[in-house]
Amino acid sequence: MYRFLLSRQWVILTLVGLVLIPVMIRLGFWQLHRHEHRVAQNELIAKSLAAPAVPVDRLTAPGRTVAHDDMWRTVTAKGRYDTRHEVVVRQRTAADEQSIGYYVITPLVMDDGRAVLVNRGWIPAGNDLTRFPKVPAAPSGEVTVTGRLKADETTGNSGIKDKPGLPARQVMLINSERQAKSLSRPVLGGYIELTKSSSKGAGRPEPVPAPDHSSIGPHMAYAIQWWLFSAGVPIGWVILVRRELKDRAAARAAEAEAGSGDGPEPKAGAEPEAESDPKPGAEPEAGSDAGSDGGPGTGPDPKPDGASQARAGSGAEPARAGADAE
């Protein structure tokens, strides 16, 4: 009954289903882990933003990676902007998440000679991307900045590909180690995402918006979908097997019905044909006449019925009788 499952087509179909089930389950857990990571990230951002501001050098140092628990912490720094080593970061979006432009990164040199990178905000891209864009001037003199502490960007943690051969003072990633080579001074690890400055200059870059820590994204919904897909594979396999059984049973029934009707069947209401009798009034053959006269014949003598005997006895047909007598 189920021997068709050993056919090549059904073996391949079954193996594909057996492979898809664990793959889909794994993809569901992958989305679940992304959901958990997003929830933990939101909690960290909310906690860090609510924490009181601290001096930046308490959480980072030259050549030091910003700890994950210190991400988004509000920090302060005091010093003077070094606009000669200012750079812009290409292909960054504005607060509307549609406009493409630059982030303006300006080193802030502190009183002890160390520097920290400050992301002063976003500016639109000009018509000529091969030239350094027109950047709003940084405040002169000593300033105190407040902002969110961020870790250095790498291709691994940001997904942004670092492109070589860019125009002068243009970069793809915000990275303190690379900027330290051009500054020729110690640079604190990570950078500050500016939120407030003691000097209010005109024409400032557009501030970078605060991170969204209220949305959890669609990852949990995706996880549930993958698990439903994995449960649907065996259900679909059973449905296909039952359909195949039904089709095969119907095909066998059709073959049996066709086999039982091989010979012609008599029509309903038809009567069997009667044997051929001589037509009434037909002359008997010569042999039969001879037999009736007593001569050699092929059949038995016919017995005269009662009417014939009566006619013979009454003499109703004298001519015929005389003929017979002769």
Side-chain angles (χ1 to χ4, degrees), residues 1-8 10-11 245 248:
M1 184 175 183
Y2 291 95
R3 291 183 62 85
F4 66 89
L5 294 176
L6 299 178
S7 64
R8 182 173 179 269
W10 276 95
V11 168
L245 289 173
R248 287 175 177 267

Side-chain angles (χ1 to χ4, degrees), residues 55 67 78 82 85 107 117 129 148 151 160 177 193 206 220 253 289 304 313 321 325:
K78 186 187 222 182
D82 181 6
H85 295 93
L117 300 181
L129 300 180
R148 299 177 287 265
I160 301 172
E177 292 184 3
E193 201 170 71
E206 180 182 321
M220 177 57 75
D289 289 342

Side-chain angles (χ1 to χ4, degrees), residues 213-273:
H213 57 281
S214 60
S215 174
I216 60 175
H219 304 299
M220 177 57 75
Y222 290 159
I224 295 175
Q225 287 180 2
W226 280 120
W227 291 333
L228 289 177
F229 291 157
S230 66
V233 169
I235 295 175
W237 186 87
V238 171
I239 292 175
L240 291 177
V241 170
R242 294 184 64 180
R243 183 179 298 175
E244 183 73 14
L245 289 173
K246 184 178 179 180
D247 293 344
R248 287 175 177 267
R252 286 195 298 268
E255 291 177 359
E257 183 178 356
S260 63
D262 289 343
E265 296 182 356
K267 296 181 180 180
E271 296 182 358
E273 295 182 357

Side-chain angles (χ1 to χ4, degrees), residues 31-49 68-72 212-217 219:
Q31 290 291 346
L32 176 63
H33 295 156
R34 293 190 66 184
H35 168 77
E36 294 173 345
H37 174 75
R38 182 67 177 269
V39 171
Q41 184 79 350
N42 289 346
E43 293 176 353
L44 173 63
I45 293 172
K47 180 181 177 181
S48 297
L49 294 177
H68 182 265
D69 292 341
D70 295 331
M71 289 275 293
W72 309 103
D212 178 17
H213 57 281
S214 60
S215 174
I216 60 175
H219 304 299

Side-chain angles (χ1 to χ4, degrees), residues 24-245:
M24 291 179 179
I25 293 175
R26 187 175 182 85
L27 288 173
F29 279 108
W30 172 62
Q31 290 291 346
L32 176 63
H33 295 156
R34 293 190 66 184
H35 168 77
E36 294 173 345
H37 174 75
R38 182 67 177 269
V39 171
Q41 184 79 350
N42 289 346
E43 293 176 353
L44 173 63
I45 293 172
K47 180 181 177 181
S48 297
L49 294 177
V54 296
V56 67
D57 54 2
R58 285 180 53 182
L59 302 179
T60 184
R64 176 180 168 183
T65 302
V66 175
H68 182 265
D69 292 341
D70 295 331
M71 289 275 293
W72 309 103
R73 282 290 303 271
T74 304
V75 295
T76 60
K78 186 187 222 182
R80 296 174 180 271
Y81 281 119
D82 181 6
T83 56
R84 291 188 304 108
H85 295 93
E86 191 172 61
V87 298
V88 293
V89 188
R90 296 167 62 98
Q91 298 181 0
R92 299 303 169 110
T93 57
D96 61 5
E97 298 183 355
Q98 295 181 355
S99 303
I100 305 297
Y102 303 99
Y103 279 162
V104 180
I105 307 299
T106 310
L108 182 72
V109 181
M110 299 183 291
D111 295 338
D112 58 6
R114 297 180 300 176
V116 61
L117 300 181
V118 178
N119 182 358
R120 295 201 293 126
W122 180 89
I123 61 172
N127 296 328
D128 189 357
L129 300 180
T130 63
R131 287 186 164 189
F132 190 78
K134 185 178 181 180
V135 178
S140 60
E142 189 173 72
V143 295
T144 300
V145 299
T146 304
R148 299 177 287 265
L149 181 62
K150 301 285 295 291
D152 287 329
E153 292 181 346
T154 64
T155 300
N157 62 26
S158 67
I160 301 172
K161 185 177 180 181
D162 192 14
K163 299 178 181 178
L166 295 177
R169 300 172 64 187
Q170 296 190 27
V171 296
M172 295 297 300
L173 300 169
I174 308 174
N175 191 285
S176 61
E177 292 184 3
R178 295 186 182 181
Q179 296 303 312
K181 297 177 182 179
S182 61
L183 287 171
S184 300
R185 67 173 69 245
V187 179
L188 302 184
Y191 64 96
I192 299 175
E193 201 170 71
L194 183 65
T195 58
K196 185 170 63 173
S197 175
S198 61
S199 176
K200 304 294 183 181
R204 294 175 55 191
E206 180 182 321
V208 179
D212 178 17
H213 57 281
S214 60
S215 174
I216 60 175
H219 304 299
M220 177 57 75
Y222 290 159
I224 295 175
Q225 287 180 2
W226 280 120
W227 291 333
L228 289 177
F229 291 157
S230 66
V233 169
I235 295 175
W237 186 87
V238 171
I239 292 175
L240 291 177
V241 170
R242 294 184 64 180
R243 183 179 298 175
E244 183 73 14
L245 289 173

